[in-house]
């Protein structure tokens, strides 16, 4: 008997063993999908991880698999090995990694269907609704609940189904349904009989009196070139209908006459149109020197950091490197932090590589993601994948190079749900498993990355000159406190910013305004009683979204209408907005510059699949004069005509309570500033802040990354933070704050007994309740030279001991390794 150990798509710590019936014993392979029973009535798609012949001694009865779904594995080597590493390093269950890695369309789901019990005999008179349901099920076939609603015309069949279930009249039938269905289109062809020459002549004669059908047949022959078999082309029903101008009835008439027949053909959901490709642009002297240095460093190091200033032409250098890797027959993974970046980048890379590029991100439908997965798995066309963090899980054949662009970005970190991995760090491990190299590129490296490059762990290459002789932008600092005092502010804009905007618009140049807060305003407050509306599920004020006339929680999605009077004191007209977001900036700018074309780029305006492309394309084509955005506009986007960038409020970045806030503020301000300037024209940045003497501001003005790095590392060494210590954050959640406090105190005490003063907390986070769950944090600091694996093992033991206590049955404990 053959046995398999499988990974289930569930948050469970163990692998589960199933037996394989003889009919599939020879075909089953590691990485294939199998449908397995789990629990009383549930079926899941599991991944085969181990095949063996030794019957294990287990506490549960070994069940047989229901079926084998694949002829070939859907995973390649070393994917399962990589999953194991992600699971172990980030303390996630194997099932969590499986859920994150594989598109939902490749997982089958258990759907409850209802069928009649053939042995049922009614002992009492059934109600009209009960009888209607049994009539609908009388053919014995299982029907799902949605279909029953339609067939019986009962608005909600569930209460009636419950009664029938109790009476034994119906049975629940758990059936498996495939989520991914290939997209198909109806095509037309001549029937085998009609295709014979003598029969075709007779058909023409017969159709002399049916002119419309004859016209359609002639059009089909013209489109398909079926009379010259060597050049024959397939014709879709849709094309035939459009080109002939005929109705469905006319085409159906030819099908009924057995002249034409229809067939379904699987078509892709992805764009496969042919593209004209061009040669790569030549590199300038500085880029060539940097490229040679990167290649030299790769001879000794697995990972190289390319520290290139904004607009230094890093992307062109990447393209030359990609070309060399493809020439070796290997694949490239090009990671970007934001979906917005894939839009502009894809256009630039497709100019050189055409259809060899695939794009993978969450704005694609599930079916499209399955199609990309299958194309990569079956070696169909994709040698380069541009994608966001989830791209690291694709089934690559042989990676030769991983590029992590804007490697400092926190968006590479997955927060919830588990696994809470960092795509930059995970991609370095993935590349090593493939024997590939990793290039980390940025103008503002993460302190940990720069530390590794200075200590010899990574290679290090600098690119200090901007492309096309562009100068670094001029940064003008405006003291908003003083400007408000001297009445030199109009709304949220200083006089100098408005003056520079007016001049830029007169010169037909473009402007970017940056405010790292979406919505209209952070909150509203009653002028009479100081009441502020809060989310009913979270400890956070509701953000004003004027365009929808709602107050919204950005943590759980709760919304309510903006009240006309104060809910607390009842005073009408007393509610006023406090602070400002991108939506409010957009409103004010349209009033100040009514002739300007204004667009906004934040989470609210980029929810649809094509929204990124539309906004970026409009700005590139100069259909927009002023672009207002959150940090999305800072991430490596390249706009030729931007001469002015306005940073409206640097204070909320500088004053965030986090040990990384100064590093992030420097990165964000420097990156946003880098969008300004073009060939032969120096850009300008207006930076508005109430603390103009802040050291970070001075470092940004001088573009002095080294000074920021030195100051931050000195502080971090003193207070035991990365890169000198590893962090593991323990997050505890419970609906009852008293239970949570007790559990957090006990866990911190148990951990302190082992780790001593390496434990901080338990602490209340900035937002202490989300979705009705109270939250507490405990922080563990582990010296970089010590084993973090041993620490994680102890953490799991303490966590399991806490959860085994019945008092803490509903307690959630998550470990966040290397939290951001």
């Amino acid at each position: 008997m053959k046995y398999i150990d499988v990974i289930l798509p569930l948050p469970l710590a163990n692998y589960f063993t199933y037996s394989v019936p003889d009919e599939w014993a020879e075909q089953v392979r590691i990485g294939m999908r199998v449908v397995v029973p789990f629990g009383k009535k549930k079926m899941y798609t599991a991944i085969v991880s181990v095949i063996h012949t030794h019957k294990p001694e287990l506490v549960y009865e070994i069940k047989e698999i229901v079926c084998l779904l694949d002829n070939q594995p859907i995973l390649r080597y070393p994917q399962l090995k990589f999953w194991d590493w992600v699971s172990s390093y980030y303390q996630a269950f194997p099932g969590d990694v499986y859920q994150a890695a594989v598109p939902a369309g490749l997982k089958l789901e258990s759907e409850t269907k209802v069928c009649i019990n053939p042995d049922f005999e009614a002992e009492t008179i059934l109600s009209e609704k009960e009888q209607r349901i049994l009539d609908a099920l009388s053919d014995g076939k299982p029907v799902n609940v949605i279909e029953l609603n339609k067939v019986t015309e009962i608005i909600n069949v569930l209460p009636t189904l419950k009664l029938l279930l109790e009476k034994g009249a119906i049975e629940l039938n758990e059936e498996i349904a495939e989520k991914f269905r290939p997209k198909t289109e109806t095509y037309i062809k001549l029937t085998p009989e009609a295709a014979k020459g003598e029969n075709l002549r007779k058909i023409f004669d017969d159709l002399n009196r049916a002119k419309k059908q004859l016209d359609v047949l002639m059009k089909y022959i013209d489109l398909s070139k079926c009379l010259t078999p060597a050049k024959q082309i397939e014709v879709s029903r849709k094309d035939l209908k459009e080109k002939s101008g005929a109705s469905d009835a006319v085409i159906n008439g030819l099908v009924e006459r057995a002249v034409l027949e229809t067939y379904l053909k699987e078509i892709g959901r992805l764009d496969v149109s042919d593209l004209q490709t061009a040669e790569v642009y030549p590199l300038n002297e500085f880029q060539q020197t940097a490229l040679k240095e990167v290649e030299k460093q790769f001879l000794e190091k697995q990972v190289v950091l390319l520290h290139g200033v904004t607009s230094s032409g890093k992307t062109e250098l990447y393209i030359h490197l990609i070309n060399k890797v493809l020439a070796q027959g290997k694949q490239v993974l090009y990671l970007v932090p934001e979906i917005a970046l894939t839009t502009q980048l894809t256009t630039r890379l497709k100019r050189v590589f055409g259809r060899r590029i695939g794009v993978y991100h969450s704005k694609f439908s599930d079916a499209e993601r399955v199609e990309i997965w299958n194309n990569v798995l079956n070696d169909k066309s994709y040698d380069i994948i541009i994608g966001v963090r989830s791209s690291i899980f694709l089934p690559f054949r042989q990676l030769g190079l991983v590029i992590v662009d804007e490697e400092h970005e926190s968006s590479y970190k997955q927060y919830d749900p588990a696994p809470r991995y960092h795509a930059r760090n995970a991609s370095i491990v993935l590349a090593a498993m493939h024997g590939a190299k990793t290039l980390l590129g940025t103008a503002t490296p993460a302190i940990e990355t720069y530390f590794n490059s200075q200590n010899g762990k990574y290679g290090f290459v600098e690119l200090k000159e901007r492309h096309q002789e562009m100068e670094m932008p001029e940064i003008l600092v405006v003291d908003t406190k003083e400007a408000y005092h001297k009445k030199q502010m109009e709304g949220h804009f200083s006089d100098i910013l408005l003056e520079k905007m007016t001049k830029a618009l007169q010169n037909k140049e473009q402007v970017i305004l940056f405010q790292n807060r979406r919505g209209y305003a952070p909150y509203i407050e009653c002028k009479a009683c100081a009441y502020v509306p809060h989310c009913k599920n979270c400890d956070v004020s509701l953000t004003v979204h004027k365009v929808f006339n709602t107050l919204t929680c950005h943590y759980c999605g709760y919304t309510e209408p903006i009240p006309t009077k104060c809910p607390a004191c009842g005073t009408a007209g007393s509610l006023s907005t406090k602070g400002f977001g991108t939506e409010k900036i957009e409103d004010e700018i349209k009033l100040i510059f009514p002739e300007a074309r204004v667009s906004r780029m934040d989470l609210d305006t980029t929810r649809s699949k094509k929204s990124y492309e539309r906004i970026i394309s409009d700005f590139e084509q100069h259909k927009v004069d002023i672009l207002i955005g959150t940090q999305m506009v800072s991430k490596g986007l390249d706009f030729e005509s931007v001469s002015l960038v306005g940073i409206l409020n640097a204070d909320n970045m500088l004053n965030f309570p986090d040990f990384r806030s100064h590093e992030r503020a420097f990165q964000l301000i420097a990156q946003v500033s880098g969008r300004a300037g073009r060939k032969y024209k120096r850009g300008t940045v207006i930076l508005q802040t109430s603390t103009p003497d802040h050291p970070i501001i001075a470092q940004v003005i001088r573009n002095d990354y080294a000074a920021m790095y030195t100051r931050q590392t000195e502080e971090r060494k003193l207070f035991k933070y990365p890169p000198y210590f590893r962090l593991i954050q323990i997050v505890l959640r419970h609906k009852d704050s008293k239970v949570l406090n007790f559990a957090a105190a006990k866990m911190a005490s148990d951990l302190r007994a082992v780790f001593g003063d390496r434990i901080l907390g338990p602490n209340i986070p900035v937002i202490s309740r989300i979705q009705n769950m109270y939250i507490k944090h405990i922080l563990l600091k582990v010296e970089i030279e010590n084993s973090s694996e041993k620490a994680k093992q102890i953490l799991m033991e303490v966590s399991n001991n806490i959860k085994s206590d019945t008092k803490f049955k509903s307690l959630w404990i998550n470990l966040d390794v290397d939290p951001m």
Side-chain angles (χ1 to χ4, degrees):
M1 174 65 78
K2 194 169 272 189
Y3 298 94
I4 56 173
D5 295 344
V6 302
I7 305 171
L8 286 162
L10 299 168
L12 301 168
N14 299 328
Y15 289 62
F16 290 84
T17 303
Y18 288 84
S19 62
V20 183
D22 293 341
E23 60 180 301
W24 292 307
E26 295 305 313
Q27 294 108 291
V28 70
R29 284 158 62 191
I30 289 170
M32 283 185 170
R33 296 175 301 161
V34 288
V35 176
V36 297
F38 191 77
K40 288 183 179 177
K41 292 182 178 177
K42 290 289 181 186
M43 305 256 188
Y44 292 100
T45 305
I47 298 281
V48 179
S49 65
V50 179
I51 302 172
H52 55 93
T53 53
H54 306 293
K55 184 178 180 180
E57 292 181 14
L58 298 166
V59 293
Y60 59 86
E61 178 196 348
I62 295 177
K63 298 177 182 176
E64 275 193 353
I65 66 169
V66 175
C67 68
L68 181 66
L69 290 174
D70 304 306
N71 296 321
Q72 296 292 329
I74 66 154
L75 303 181
R76 290 181 189 267
Y77 178 83
Q79 276 180 285
L80 281 172
K81 183 181 174 186
F82 180 57
W83 287 14
D84 282 343
W85 178 84
V86 171
S87 172
S88 167
Y89 185 83
Y90 291 104
Q91 292 297 287
F93 297 120
D96 287 332
V97 182
Y98 168 24
Q99 281 282 39
V102 177
L106 288 173
K107 295 170 229 158
L108 303 175
E109 63 180 6
S110 182
E111 288 185 349
T112 302
K113 293 199 173 188
V114 181
C115 60
I116 197 165
N117 176 4
D119 302 324
F120 172 70
E121 286 181 12
E123 295 173 359
T124 56
I125 296 170
L126 297 174
S127 71
E128 184 201 349
K129 284 185 180 180
E130 288 173 332
Q131 194 58 57
R132 273 158 68 185
I133 288 172
L134 291 183
D135 289 345
L137 298 171
S138 59
D139 62 358
K141 292 177 182 175
V143 180
N144 70 32
V145 173
I146 296 166
E147 287 171 31
L148 268 181
N149 278 333
K150 289 177 185 173
V151 173
T152 60
E153 296 182 344
I154 299 169
I155 295 170
N156 184 7
V157 296
L158 288 174
T160 315
L161 286 177
K162 183 172 176 285
L163 293 171
L164 287 170
L165 200 60
E166 288 166 356
K167 291 176 181 178
I170 59 170
E171 296 172 336
L172 296 185
N173 182 15
E174 285 292 306
E175 288 209 345
I176 296 295
E178 178 109 44
K179 286 183 181 177
F180 173 70
R181 291 177 179 83
K183 188 176 181 181
T184 57
E185 191 171 346
T186 303
Y187 276 69
I188 297 269
K189 64 180 180 181
L190 287 172
T191 61
E193 280 300 305
K196 293 174 183 173
E198 63 276 12
N199 290 348
L200 197 56
R201 281 189 292 274
K202 186 174 181 302
I203 288 165
F204 280 130
D205 293 338
D206 292 345
L207 290 178
N208 272 330
R209 281 171 291 179
K211 189 174 180 309
K212 287 183 179 177
Q213 289 186 2
L214 181 61
D215 288 345
V216 170
L217 181 58
M218 293 296 286
K219 180 52 75 175
Y220 169 77
I221 290 168
D222 176 44
L223 291 171
S224 68
K225 299 182 172 51
C226 63
L227 300 182
T228 49
K231 295 181 179 178
Q232 190 164 342
I233 299 166
E234 289 184 288
V235 178
S236 71
R237 181 181 178 122
K238 182 183 170 188
D239 278 352
L240 182 61
K241 186 180 173 184
E242 282 177 7
K243 300 278 170 60
S244 66
S247 65
D248 284 323
V250 176
I251 297 172
N252 290 342
L254 285 168
V255 173
E256 285 163 14
R257 282 175 180 260
V259 176
L260 296 176
E261 63 181 0
T262 62
Y263 64 98
L264 288 176
K265 181 185 173 185
E266 185 178 332
I267 58 167
R269 292 173 169 83
L270 308 170
D271 178 20
V272 291
S273 53
D274 284 321
L275 290 166
Q276 195 87 33
T277 57
E279 289 297 310
V280 294
Y281 291 125
L283 299 178
N284 65 26
E285 179 193 343
F286 307 111
Q287 290 169 319
Q288 284 175 352
T289 304
L291 177 61
K292 285 175 186 170
E293 188 58 33
V294 167
E295 290 174 327
K296 183 183 168 188
Q297 296 271 350
F298 273 151
L299 296 175
E300 299 174 12
K301 307 284 184 185
Q302 285 294 111
V303 184
V304 173
L305 168 63
L306 175 62
H307 183 195
V309 295
T310 53
S311 301
S312 58
K314 292 187 289 294
T315 306
E316 287 305 319
L317 190 148
Y318 298 156
I319 289 171
H320 280 255
L321 209 51
I322 290 167
N323 233 351
K324 295 186 179 187
V325 173
L326 297 187
Q328 298 166 16
K330 295 179 180 178
Q331 294 168 301
V332 176
L333 171 60
Y334 193 138
L335 284 175
V336 290
E338 283 277 357
I339 296 168
L341 256 178
T342 64
T343 303
Q344 203 175 52
L345 197 57
T346 304
T347 308
R348 290 178 68 176
L349 268 70
K350 277 190 174 176
R351 190 194 73 81
V352 178
F353 302 110
R355 281 176 54 189
R356 298 176 79 177
I357 290 175
V359 182
Y360 192 77
H361 57 64
S362 60
K363 282 287 190 282
F364 281 132
S365 69
D366 191 60
E368 285 170 321
R369 288 203 294 277
V370 170
E371 209 159 299
I372 295 163
W373 180 286
N374 287 336
N375 284 355
V376 175
L377 182 69
N378 299 318
D379 297 329
K380 288 186 183 174
S381 71
Y382 295 147
D383 296 315
I384 307 161
I385 289 290
I386 300 175
V388 292
R389 59 176 180 255
S390 56
S391 311
I392 61 173
F393 293 114
L394 285 167
F396 295 101
R397 177 187 74 255
Q398 188 184 3
L399 275 176
L401 175 68
V402 175
I403 295 168
V404 186
D405 200 14
E406 310 296 345
E407 65 81 26
H408 64 278
E409 282 290 348
S410 58
S411 342
Y412 282 124
K413 173 74 174 174
Q414 162 76 13
Y415 290 98
D416 276 316
R420 295 168 182 82
Y421 64 96
H422 196 299
R424 177 196 62 212
N425 301 344
S427 68
I428 291 170
V429 174
L430 176 69
M433 288 179 179
H434 277 272
K437 304 293 184 184
T438 306
L439 182 63
L440 309 176
T442 178
T444 53
I447 282 176
E448 291 93 328
T449 304
Y450 197 79
F451 179 81
N452 285 334
S453 72
Q454 299 307 294
N455 284 2
K457 186 176 179 182
Y458 299 165
F460 180 66
V461 178
E462 278 191 293
L463 187 54
K464 293 180 179 179
E465 285 74 20
R466 288 188 116 195
H467 190 51
Q468 295 183 328
E469 302 168 28
M470 283 194 290
E471 289 184 78
M472 292 298 286
E474 177 190 17
I475 300 177
L476 303 175
V477 180
V478 176
D479 184 344
T480 49
K481 213 160 36 173
E482 188 180 318
Y484 275 117
H485 181 66
K486 292 181 176 178
K487 297 189 168 42
Q488 293 172 345
M489 296 286 288
E490 185 174 337
H492 300 97
F493 313 101
S494 58
D495 287 352
I496 188 169
L497 176 58
L498 294 176
E499 180 192 318
K500 295 281 185 185
M501 285 179 73
T502 304
K503 194 178 284 186
L505 294 172
Q506 285 170 354
N507 294 337
K508 306 292 182 194
E509 293 164 352
Q510 291 173 300
V511 178
I512 290 177
L513 295 178
F514 171 76
Q515 167 61 3
N516 205 21
R517 189 188 290 276
R518 66 186 173 101
Y520 188 81
Y523 62 97
I524 55 173
E525 184 179 78
C526 175
K527 287 183 267 190
C529 71
Y531 167 78
V532 175
H534 277 71
C535 175
K536 66 176 187 179
N537 305 316
C538 313
D539 281 343
V540 64
S541 58
L542 294 171
T543 302
V544 184
H545 287 263
K546 193 179 175 186
V547 70
F548 303 116
N549 196 41
T550 58
L551 298 173
T552 302
C553 174
H554 287 173
Y555 289 87
C556 72
Y558 169 77
T559 61
E560 60 181 51
I562 297 175
T564 52
K565 60 182 181 180
C566 175
C569 69
T571 308
S574 65
L575 295 166
S576 63
T577 59
K578 297 290 179 183
F580 60 100
T582 48
E583 199 183 311
K584 190 171 187 179
I585 297 302
E586 184 183 24
D587 272 9
E588 292 182 358
I589 282 295
K590 283 177 177 175
L591 289 173
I592 298 169
F593 298 102
E595 302 299 314
R597 296 162 298 177
V598 181
S599 187
R600 177 161 53 93
M601 187 171 170
D602 56 26
L603 191 63
D604 299 317
T605 61
T606 55
R607 292 188 189 276
S608 68
K609 181 179 166 184
K610 297 284 184 183
S611 51
Y612 287 101
E613 291 176 34
R614 180 181 49 75
I615 294 168
I616 290 168
S617 173
D618 285 352
F619 200 59
E620 281 179 328
Q621 294 170 29
H622 223 306
K623 293 178 183 176
V624 171
D625 301 311
I626 302 170
L627 179 64
I628 298 156
T630 55
Q631 59 184 356
M632 283 181 186
V633 300
S634 74
K635 298 183 181 180
L637 293 169
D638 182 23
F639 300 118
E640 205 174 81
S641 301
V642 175
S643 66
L644 178 67
V645 168
I647 299 171
L648 301 178
N649 181 10
D651 299 337
N652 56 6
M653 294 180 273
L654 292 166
N655 300 324
F656 194 77
D658 184 88
F659 77 92
R660 284 195 174 93
S661 63
H662 287 181
E663 176 195 359
R664 286 196 183 132
F666 180 94
Q667 289 165 342
L668 207 44
I669 295 168
Q671 290 285 345
V672 175
S673 302
R675 304 311 115 216
R678 53 184 174 145
K679 194 175 180 181
Y680 311 125
K681 167 94 183 199
R682 191 181 186 193
T684 304
V685 178
I686 307 294
L687 195 158
Q688 298 184 168
T689 174
S690 63
T691 53
D693 299 327
H694 198 290
I696 289 292
I697 305 273
Q699 288 157 5
V700 169
I701 291 169
R702 297 194 309 269
N703 192 37
D704 194 349
Y705 176 85
M708 185 278 292
Y709 171 80
T710 303
R711 172 105 180 234
Q712 291 304 307
T713 47
E714 283 170 359
E715 289 180 4
R716 293 188 190 187
K717 192 171 189 178
L718 187 63
F719 294 105
K720 300 181 179 178
Y721 281 103
Y724 302 99
F725 281 71
R726 284 196 185 93
L727 301 183
I728 301 175
Q729 185 161 267
I730 303 106
V731 182
L732 298 93
R733 294 183 177 92
H734 200 279
K735 288 194 173 182
D736 187 326
S737 60
K738 289 177 183 173
V739 173
L740 176 69
N741 290 340
F742 185 47
K746 177 167 174 38
M747 188 166 189
S749 171
D750 291 353
L751 289 172
R752 245 182 223 105
V754 181
F755 296 108
D757 62 1
R758 294 182 185 89
I759 293 290
L760 293 183
N763 297 317
I764 300 170
V766 176
I767 295 159
S768 60
R769 182 175 60 107
I770 295 176
Q771 295 181 341
N772 285 320
M773 298 285 275
Y774 292 92
I775 306 166
K776 280 275 180 93
H777 288 172
I778 299 170
L779 191 66
L780 169 62
K781 297 178 179 182
V782 182
E783 293 86 344
I784 207 79
E785 60 273 10
N786 288 351
S787 167
S788 64
E789 295 310 305
K790 180 68 177 168
K792 290 172 197 169
Q793 193 180 331
I794 294 166
L795 281 174
M796 285 308 294
E797 286 171 8
V798 172
S799 172
N800 290 336
N801 285 341
I802 296 278
K803 286 192 280 190
S804 65
D805 191 327
T806 53
K807 293 194 293 292
F808 308 130
K809 192 170 63 174
S810 304
L811 181 72
W812 286 69
I813 301 177
N814 296 322
L815 300 187
D816 189 359
V817 179
D818 302 332
M820 296 294 287

